Amino acid sequence: MSEMQRDLWTSLLLVWITCVQYSSMAPLNNQSQSLQTASAMIPRNRPSEGQRILSRAKRGWVWNQMFVLEEFSGPDPILVGRLHTDLDMGNKNIKYVLAGEGAGTIFAINERTGDIHAMKRLDREEKAEYTLTAQVIDRDTDKPLEPPSEFIIKVQDINDNPPQFIEGPYKGSVPEMSQVGTSVTRVTATDADDPVYGNSARLVYSILEGQPYFSIDQTTAIIRVALAGMDREMREEYLVVIQAKDMGGHMGGLSGTTTVTVTLTDINDNPPKFSKGSYEFTIPEDLGIGKPGGRVKANDRDIGENAKSAYSIIGGDERDVFEIVTDAQTQEGILRLKKPLDFESKKSYNLTVVATNIRADSITGGPYMDQATVKIIIEDADEPPVFTKSAYLFDVHENAAINTVIGAVAARDQDATHSQVRYFIDRHTDLERQFNINVDDGKITLAKPLDRETDMWHNITVTATEVRNHSQISRAIVAIKVLDINDNAPEFATEYEAFLCENGKPGQVIQTISAVDKDNPSQGHTFHYRLEMLNNPNFTIKNNLNNSISVLAKHDSFRRQKQETYLLPIVVTDDGEPPMSSTNTLTIRVCGCSRDGTVQSCNVEAFVLPIGLSMGALIWMFLCLSVIVVLFVTLRRHKNEPLIIKDDEDVRENIIRYDDEGGGEEDTEAFDIATLQNPDGINGYLPRKDIKPDLQFMPRQGQHSGPNGVDVDEFINVRLHEADNDPTAPPYDSIQIYGYEGRGSIAGSLSSLETASSDSDQNYDYLREWGPRFRRLGELYSVGENDKET
């Protein structure tokens, strides 16, 4: 049947059902859905005034639910039902009123007859029922004649909604090779029609596509495996089309479809398989430990964990030279070296390798495995020489002569060429070049004297190199132990300082002394002690029989006033071959002690106190001496200050002495006369302030004169020599001004040149009145005047 024919038959069926329902409901609307007359206990005669009659009024409205068919689309409004009251006696003063859901819009009532009509097309899936209120009122006064009452209009369902798969499309999975009836997944369809009324919402499921692999329960919609032996490696995914049809699956029912994608999940049903039955690899003899030598791979048609394999060697590796591990990324077996290869001892290996699935499957009963043969050919490589030992141990006495042979090392080239070997010492391990080695025979000799007390062990590295190939080097450790000889004298274990009490008794122990020796004899040390002065009048020694002695006092007449310190030389000798000895001095101080022998004082205070001066008196004497020194220094400082000579007859009130031809009293930078006055006070560099030298030299040490006088002439000669030879020594070369008397001075110029060239009539006879020093000056100027007149 075509789709068009199916739609036509569906439309005719709907029209027929509607007509049958409407014709069967018409009597119901006129009887059960109409208002039924009920007698009201209302008095016929009006009571008189003052008389009150109690009565119970019976309800006047009685009706059942009303129904209306959904999706009805006739030319005229459909009659839903009729309202009627027993008060309606045919008179025209009764009016029916409708209120509630849809009143006036969806439902309309005839005010006179009470007929209710549906004005619009209704859809049960949008709203299944409506609640309304009916009331009868007086048309003239609008007063209610009956109390209002509610009733329900239900929309009667028709099959107008097809089933829908809300959650579709679906996906499901099931292990491959599953048995028939194994559940895959479940689908669910919904129908918006009324599930209570009729069969509009009763669904039946079926498979449109996906047979014969899967089936579906028509009621529960559970999809199950329908074909046994489905292999994922053959086909992994299936598309199943499911149909849901209402009306119990009968003709005329509506249907909906969905798709279900079913995926077969993998199980371990395939064994690993090597791509080849045998492999062959060639690897060099000098391949490093842990380095890969080759790769093998067993392929597995399964996926994920089911395809993972573990590799192992089950034969051909008796020496445990190789191992095989799995590459997690590529699932390859990597052959790696566990021990060094030796081409000379074995040139090839034949290994049996097995690949086994890691995961076992309960369905197939694995695991599976496969094996292959791997042949490994060793390629000869030029190897470094091999020492006969990895480490050598030699010993030598510390007094061995230079060029003494300590020992010899040996190495051999194990290659087929058997190249000659040369020996060297790694000088990084013998920085002091203590040893030498013969490059041909490997004999190690002494190059410098040894001292066991400085270095007891010497660890050096010896290298062996092929003559044919210098890059092939091997190394060996050589440990050289220096054997001891008796070449060190014993000495005191520490610097002893003993204290002797003045009131001590003869024979008291002053100090216990022990000795040490840098040598290390095999039998241990034995020391012998003796006093350098055999018959010492003050002290003696006693052997303690444990390599130590005790120093004893011979008498009790030790006094600090007589002798404060005693130096006691003691000779210590060992029993080595030859014996070694040394003289050590013990310092013994005489001290004042308490009655119980406790040392109280060993300093000079013990000599001062017996004179009769107390400690307080000594402190006062020291303070007085300090005050005297301070006063003496203060007075001398005031005495050295220069006196200011004042002369009332001098108009300048002071005398300024000039010893150079500088710039007068305001020129304070020309020269420092204090250098000549105190040459001992200038020992370094005195820079000049007016001109900065171009070169900066370090200050020079000045020449010191004797402590009892100042040799000014020698000092000036030294400074003159320095000034001539050192450009940085003062005075610096600079322009000096000699005709400047300063500002504001009342003194006139004394320049003879200027006076001689002037035409003044000045009389210089007054210079003779100034004294003998100016008489000669006056005579000179007077002579000049006489020459001018002549």
Side-chain angles (χ1 to χ4, degrees), residues 608-609 611-625:
V608 178
L609 292 179
I611 298 176
L613 296 177
S614 64
M615 181 62 67
L618 293 176
I619 295 175
W620 276 107
M621 290 175 63
F622 176 76
L623 292 177
C624 293
L625 181 62

Side-chain angles (χ1 to χ4, degrees), residues 10 142 145 168 214 264 339 403 432 439 458 492 569-570 581 590 611 712 723:
T10 301
D142 289 336
L145 301 178
F214 302 97
L264 298 182
K339 296 180 180 179
N403 296 325
E432 298 181 356
V439 296
H458 295 270
F492 281 176
I570 301 176
S581 63
V590 181
I611 298 176
V712 178

Side-chain angles (χ1 to χ4, degrees), residues 583-625:
T583 301
N584 301 266
T585 302
L586 173 65
T587 302
I588 303 174
R589 298 182 62 186
V590 181
C591 303
C593 302
S594 61
R595 292 183 179 180
D596 58 357
T598 302
V599 176
Q600 292 182 336
S601 177
C602 299
N603 51 27
V604 182
E605 179 186 349
F607 301 104
V608 178
L609 292 179
I611 298 176
L613 296 177
S614 64
M615 181 62 67
L618 293 176
I619 295 175
W620 276 107
M621 290 175 63
F622 176 76
L623 292 177
C624 293
L625 181 62

Side-chain angles (χ1 to χ4, degrees), residues 611-678:
I611 298 176
L613 296 177
S614 64
M615 181 62 67
L618 293 176
I619 295 175
W620 276 107
M621 290 175 63
F622 176 76
L623 292 177
C624 293
L625 181 62
S626 299
V627 172
I628 293 171
V629 171
V630 172
L631 292 175
F632 176 77
V633 172
T634 304
L635 292 175
R636 184 168 183 178
R637 182 176 299 174
H638 284 288
K639 181 179 180 180
N640 292 336
E641 291 181 358
L643 298 176
I644 301 176
I645 302 174
K646 297 183 180 181
D647 190 353
D648 296 336
E649 297 179 357
D650 189 356
V651 295
R652 302 181 59 186
E653 298 182 352
N654 56 34
I655 297 175
I656 299 177
R657 299 178 180 179
Y658 295 95
D659 293 327
D660 64 349
E661 295 293 334
E665 64 250 21
E666 292 187 2
D667 185 5
T668 60
E669 303 291 342
F671 193 77
D672 189 0
I673 196 64
T675 303
L676 298 178
Q677 297 175 352
N678 186 17

